Amino acid sequence: MTGTRLTSRDFADYLEIVAAWVLAILWISPLLYAIWAAFHSSHHAINFELLSPLTLDNFREAMSQAPFLRYGLNTFILVSMLLTAQLIVCTLAAYAFARFDFRGSEIAFALVLVQLMITPEILIVENYGTLAKLGFVDTITGIGLPYMASAFGIFLLRQTFKSTPKELEEAARLEGCGLFGILFRVYIPLARPTYLAYGLVSISHHWNNFLWPLVITNSVETRPLTVGLGVFGAPESGVDWSIISAATLLSVAPLLIAFLLFQRQFVQSFMYAGIK
Amino acid sequence: MSRANMRHVYGWLLLMPAAILLVAFTHYPTIATIIDSFFSKGNPVRPSRFIGLDNYRLMTDDPIFWKVLANNMWFAIGTIPTSIALAIAMALMVNKALPGRSLVRMAYFTPTILPMIAVANIWLFFYTPDIGLIDQVAGLFGFSGHNWLGDPDTVLPAIIIMTIWKEAGFFMIFYLAALQQIPPELAEAARLEGASRWYYFRRVLFPLLMPTTLFVLINAVLNSFKLVDHLFVLTKGGPDNASNLLLYYIFESAFSYFDTTYAATLTVVLLGLLAFMALAQFFVLDRRVHYR
């Protein structure tokens, strides 16, 4: 009896392995197809001729039709500027919430958390008006401004700072550290995993963000990759598939390569950020 | 001032940059949106004036508003349960000893790292009539071509399938994290008791994963309201608003029809829905989940 039960379990195990692989192949195939199409002429891509000759023409063509290098630079500036601002603003706010029991801190924290639900993309109409008044329409700073105070970042860092042992702070104070000395010598070094996780989540989110950048930008000098790709890929414009695939790959390549290289860190960061 | 009182000053000073930004781009616009929805749209000749609930009357008489709301509901119903079921299945499979496990996990997770706008570009080709991949495969079996994105009956399902592909892997990692917290002795005990896999999953694993499921559920519902990027590439909300969603309609009202007060009124509905979900999360779900 036990013997048959074991074999049926073994059979189920095999079935599960096969299912896992079939699903994996199914899941990755749209992306693999796009990569394959980008390196083949659109005639071959549409007719699905697997062994047709490779070509880089699609990339050349895509680059000549739209300034993807410039878009890429814009995205890079946006993401690095935004992350720097987020880290500074969120660290200071989280430090306040974690270690200064100031009057009104609970209400203030609740008001911060509102942004977890009401994210800036929902308020595009009013925020556009505000940035127009401030003169930030069609600037990279304008894309970043509404996201610089990130409730998510404040929340994550506050949790981390709160779990830092108070004795370390006392020790640093006895050594003569002031408020910022304690922050830089004790809290920030111990929160490195949180900074890494938040950084990766923020970079992937803003590299991929589309709606707000679309609303606030209207020139080549400010458009990030996603908006450039959205403008490029408009179905009416009649560009062919392989060129669209090449343009799509150009837009996602930096982040995708970073992800493939640091897969473990990415997955763990998303997990860590989700669990907190 | 005494040292103890200084903490109030320091606290507020440290919070100041974040507070200014949050008030400027979250709290102020939220309130301004609500106020705007009670005013008429101003122009150089006639300044905007208070019109009470007129914008809301206009909205409830607007068939597109109801259409868009219904679409949002079907979009959520179509994407969320399937994504969650797939995410659990993926997590269970990847959590076991599996040849090439990291490759399989990477395959599931990769769509998550792509921007929705790129995903839409890739899938646009699959859905193109006649020359698209789906029609070509269907053609092998003798089916004729179909305009998947041009037919009001198939456009929403087509977008739903694409969204599931994009999101399932994202939800998987939260289940994976949860599964790693579950002691392996439980599975061993169930096995010794002769419990079937399905029984073990239904009576042990699934209940233990409940907090994760609710966390994912909230995020998925929020995403279904916030993510409309694909519409810009795939359908522009068409045909005849068959794939239009609330946030995209807000964008259209404000930036295509330049009716900012109507856009504000629609935004109030979206804010209301989000507030309702926030309250549901805090008062109902949180209590039911932490029974452990």
Side-chain angles (χ1 to χ4, degrees), chain A residues 80-99:
Chain A
S80 39
M81 178 194 72
L82 186 51
L83 184 60
T84 312
Q86 281 176 333
L87 291 181
I88 296 169
V89 171
C90 296
T91 299
L92 295 179
Y95 189 38
F97 283 125
R99 279 298 178 248

Side-chain angles (χ1 to χ4, degrees), chain B residues 45-60:
Chain B
V45 189
R46 276 192 314 173
S48 103
R49 60 188 176 84
F50 183 76
I51 52 166
L53 292 172
D54 279 7
N55 282 324
Y56 290 89
R57 237 164 266 138
L58 198 71
M59 185 175 71
T60 50

Side-chain angles (χ1 to χ4, degrees), chain A residues 267 270-272 274-275, chain B residues 91 95 171-182 209 212:
Chain A
V267 172
F270 277 84
M271 261 189 203
Y272 181 82
I275 295 163
Chain B
N95 197 40
F171 300 150
M172 170 193 76
I173 56 170
F174 301 114
Y175 284 107
L176 212 47
L179 283 174
Q180 284 164 7
Q181 306 295 316
I182 293 173
L209 292 174
T212 312

Side-chain angles (χ1 to χ4, degrees), chain B residues 8-167:
Chain B
H8 302 298
V9 178
Y10 288 138
W12 277 106
L13 280 178
L14 288 167
L15 185 60
M16 205 44 73
I20 291 170
L21 286 163
L22 280 167
V23 168
F25 298 110
T26 300
H27 304 113
Y28 162 75
T30 303
I31 293 162
T33 302
I34 296 170
I35 293 172
D36 274 6
S37 72
F38 295 111
F39 281 81
S40 70
K41 197 187 145 204
N43 58 37
V45 189
R46 276 192 314 173
S48 103
R49 60 188 176 84
F50 183 76
I51 52 166
L53 292 172
D54 279 7
N55 282 324
Y56 290 89
R57 237 164 266 138
L58 198 71
M59 185 175 71
T60 50
D61 289 340
D62 177 8
I64 300 175
F65 167 68
W66 293 109
K67 175 87 192 157
V68 162
L69 219 51
N71 284 345
N72 250 118
M73 193 188 71
W74 288 119
F75 182 66
I77 293 174
T79 50
I80 298 168
T82 316
S83 307
I84 290 183
L86 270 168
I88 295 177
M90 287 170 169
L92 285 172
M93 293 192 288
V94 169
N95 197 40
K96 291 214 177 109
L98 175 77
R101 185 165 76 161
S102 61
L103 275 179
V104 171
R105 190 183 57 190
M106 186 195 75
Y108 295 159
F109 188 74
T110 304
T112 296
I113 215 82
L114 302 175
M116 197 57 168
I117 207 87
V119 169
N121 265 331
I122 294 171
W123 282 72
L124 183 59
F125 177 62
F126 299 154
Y127 288 137
T128 309
D130 298 324
I131 59 161
L133 209 58
I134 292 176
D135 274 4
Q136 286 202 33
V137 173
L140 295 178
F141 297 98
F143 293 100
S144 59
H146 183 80
N147 190 352
W148 300 96
L149 298 173
D151 179 344
D153 291 331
T154 53
V155 62
L156 207 52
I159 287 175
I160 285 170
I161 290 171
M162 186 193 76
T163 308
I164 292 170
W165 179 74
K166 161 102 170 116
E167 292 203 317

Side-chain angles (χ1 to χ4, degrees), chain A residues 118-170:
Chain A
I118 305 175
T119 51
E121 44 269 24
I122 287 163
L123 301 163
I124 43 175
V125 185
E126 289 294 336
N127 279 342
Y128 183 87
T130 308
L131 287 181
K133 270 178 228 150
L134 296 173
F136 279 115
V137 171
D138 202 25
T139 61
I140 295 178
T141 318
I143 310 175
L145 262 176
Y147 293 96
M148 283 177 183
S150 149
F152 179 58
I154 295 172
F155 177 76
L156 272 185
L157 287 169
R158 170 186 174 267
Q159 301 293 92
T160 312
F161 290 167
K162 277 203 150 191
S163 65
T164 305
K166 263 221 145 126
E167 294 76 41
L168 291 174
E169 184 184 332
E170 293 303 327

